[in-house]
Amino acid sequence: MVDFRRHNMHSPSFFLVVCHSRRFLRLFTVGGIQGPIIWLPGEPVTIVGRGRFVAVLYHRSMSPMQDGTQLLGYSIIDGVKGTTVATGDVSALSPGASLTWVGFTDTCALTVMDSDGMLSLLARPNNESSSFGNWVPVLDTVGLKKSVNDNYWAVEVNGGKLVCVLLRGGKDHPDAARRPVTTTLKLRMPMATCLSMKSGAEEEASVRANIALDQKKLHDDIRISDGMNSEDVDEEYDTMCRQVDKITLKLFIAYISARKVERALDLANRFNTEKTYDIAINAADRLNLGRLCEKIEELKNQRFPPLDDDNFGDDESYDSGN
């Protein structure tokens, strides 16, 4: 049984989740009122929750693959409404590996870690109605170990970092009799090595930042539906857009400086603010990349259609005449 307590601005919403041996998932209010009873597709492995969401991981097959990899599935359930919002396979396990940890990030993105030390995140489109998502590796801890016997015991993923406990000597979990000392590891996707340019760090940061922005938007929509002030939430999102674009612009300037025009144009599709497009156009213009400026201007106009000056002028004249 798992108890999730969540406070809504308009009314308190508490719920409990009970996983039954018959593969029932039972939902209760804290007062004991029963909600929907949901059949799980397989034998349950674990349950985790954050806010209003519950994730149940289960066996798709009791027999692993030939290399020993576990075959698991997941369902993300809205514990208040009792509806399934996302479901699929846990295809984020290394060959021959098993699940060692699962949790939600601070933006309610589902994350898992396997026995090979790979941390992965379920990147869902920024559309609450979508039940699909892709598993993305966000941190490979193998290269961070000083010894083959070291292990990282995950606690949570927050603010783009994995909070964990370093275990030495082949231990699987911290000593329960002592307060564990936590450390943080910055997320870093295992991108392919770039041989033509030394821009691997910037490229990884841009990809990961845009994934985080999508998860932020999805989470913000949920917060607004829960009663949060939309203006405050939108201001947070706009701030993050500018931060993400700052990272992407740095990579864009590196590309145009190296005359990698096609890459720069591809990268321009990731821009989120009108001002970022203007900065990119000015940077390309200073390097006499006129054709690139035109292409980015087209992208900007598609994303932020210009005002019709003629119609605007007519309206202004009409208003002033009255």
Side-chain angles (χ1 to χ4, degrees), residues 88-116:
D89 298 336
V90 183
S91 56
L93 301 180
S94 306
S98 57
L99 181 73
T100 58
W101 178 84
V102 58
F104 282 103
T105 69
D106 50 334
T107 55
C108 288
L110 186 63
T111 52
V112 300
M113 192 168 187
D114 65 22
S115 56
D116 203 33

Side-chain angles (χ1 to χ4, degrees), residues 192-257:
T193 303
C194 183
L195 300 178
S196 58
M197 292 180 60
K198 295 182 179 180
S199 58
E202 290 84 1
E203 187 173 5
E204 185 275 337
S206 175
V207 172
R208 182 163 45 82
N210 278 274
I211 291 175
L213 187 64
D214 278 347
Q215 305 314 299
K216 171 69 173 172
K217 176 60 176 174
L218 181 66
H219 188 232
D220 284 351
D221 291 343
I222 296 168
R223 293 169 65 199
I224 292 173
S225 69
D226 281 347
M228 290 287 292
N229 186 297
S230 60
E231 292 184 359
D232 293 340
V233 174
D234 289 343
E235 185 177 350
E236 289 179 13
Y237 181 74
D238 291 342
T239 299
M240 187 170 180
C241 283
R242 292 191 293 270
Q243 293 172 344
V244 171
D245 277 6
K246 185 177 180 180
I247 296 171
T248 306
L249 265 175
K250 185 177 181 181
L251 182 60
F252 175 86
I253 292 174
Y255 282 157
I256 62 175
S257 298

Side-chain angles (χ1 to χ4, degrees), residues 91-93 101 103 109-114 118-123 135-139 157:
S91 56
L93 301 180
W101 178 84
L110 186 63
T111 52
V112 300
M113 192 168 187
D114 65 22
M118 182 68 75
L119 181 72
S120 301
L121 177 145
L122 181 64
W135 287 101
V136 179
V138 292
L139 179 64
V157 178

Side-chain angles (χ1 to χ4, degrees), residues 140-201:
D140 185 358
T141 64
V142 173
L144 303 177
K145 298 178 181 180
K146 295 182 179 180
S147 170
V148 294
N149 294 323
D150 290 348
N151 289 303
Y152 289 100
W153 193 79
V155 177
E156 66 171 341
V157 178
N158 195 319
K161 297 179 180 179
L162 170 66
V163 181
C164 56
V165 177
L166 174 59
L167 302 176
R168 299 189 182 278
K171 294 181 179 179
D172 295 327
H173 53 79
D175 187 349
R178 298 181 179 180
R179 183 182 180 88
V181 178
T182 60
T183 185
T184 58
L185 302 176
K186 186 176 180 180
L187 303 186
R188 184 179 178 87
M189 300 173 64
M191 305 285 287
T193 303
C194 183
L195 300 178
S196 58
M197 292 180 60
K198 295 182 179 180
S199 58

